[in-house]
Every structure is written in C-alpha cells, then in structure tokens.
Amino acid sequence: QSQLEESGGGLVQPGGSLRLSCATSGFSLDAFAIGWFRQAPGKGREGISCISYQGDGRNYADSVKGRFTISRDNAKNTVYLQMNSLKPEDTAIYSCAANFSPVPGYCALDKGQYGYWGQGTQVTVSS
C-alpha cells in the first residue's frame, strides 16, 4: 500500500495550469526531501523537481524551469507542484517520492535516492 498519494491531475489545454498535490499517510514528511517525477509513454522516468525537507532548497529540470513551482506545507504533510504554461510534451504520469534526508537545502532529481513512491496521477495536455 502506497504511503504517498498524488492528486490534481487531469486534462488541460496547452497554455493552461494544474496544481498537483502529494499527501502522505502514516508518516510525517518533516525529515523527507520530496521529488516529483514523470513518465511519458515509451520513455523513462524523469525527475522534474524536488524540494528539501525544510523547503529551503529546490531543483528543477531544464524542461520545466520557469514554468513549474514546487512548494510544501509540512503542517499539512503535503507537497505541491504548480504547473503553468503547460505543453503537450508535459503529458505523462506524474509521481511524487520521498527521500529520508534531513539535510538543509538538499534535494536531488535522482530517482535512485527515493525510497517511497506514490501511484501517480495522469496529466494530459491536449486541445
């Protein structure tokens, strides 16, 4: 049973916006860096954004830089991914993952560092 759950996916037109949420059950996110990953049909899993456990460090893949914003609310045990100016090539299954990493300012887009994963939510960008 997954301990992370994504929500907020759906169908959106090019240029539109969506906000994804990643919530946990059964454990606190306080000491975890959180990453967002996506996998398009026929492609490998791509790390697109991550945030350190205190929210003082963020990284973005070049493909989403300037369009996506990651944030977290530890009081709500939730991490968000605001996606603006969406393009058809952003179509994918989006998953969040947690890495136990209480290191100030640190997070990585390396999926191998993440031990807890959600099931994913579908994002489709199409007119």
Side-chain angles (χ1 to χ4, degrees):
Q1 182 177 358
S2 177
Q3 295 175 297
L4 299 174
E5 185 172 0
E6 304 90 343
S7 62
L11 173 64
V12 63
Q13 292 186 340
S17 298
L18 284 174
R19 189 178 79 156
L20 304 183
S21 299
C22 172
T24 66
S25 61
F27 70 98
S28 170
L29 280 180
D30 286 359
F32 288 80
I34 302 297
W36 280 99
F37 299 80
R38 68 185 182 187
Q39 188 164 18
K43 295 187 177 181
R45 181 172 279 173
E46 174 191 17
I48 58 171
S49 186
C50 66
I51 188 167
S52 62
Y53 83 112
Q54 291 181 320
D56 54 345
R58 295 172 175 83
N59 285 317
Y60 297 94
D62 288 343
S63 57
V64 305
K65 200 171 293 183
R67 300 187 298 123
F68 291 10
T69 302
I70 192 169
S71 62
R72 67 189 297 159
D73 185 342
N74 284 353
K76 295 183 178 179
N77 253 3
T78 303
V79 174
Y80 305 97
L81 185 68
Q82 178 67 43
M83 305 188 297
N84 298 329
S85 303
L86 283 161
K87 306 174 182 179
E89 51 263 44
D90 293 318
T91 295
I93 296 174
Y94 285 70
S95 302
C96 63
N99 171 28
F100 181 75
S101 178
V103 178
Y106 176 79
C107 72
L109 297 179
D110 174 10
K111 59 183 180 291
Q113 294 192 19
Y114 292 82
Y116 302 90
W117 290 83
Q119 297 286 349
T121 185
Q122 176 70 46
V123 172
T124 303
V125 185
S126 174
S127 54

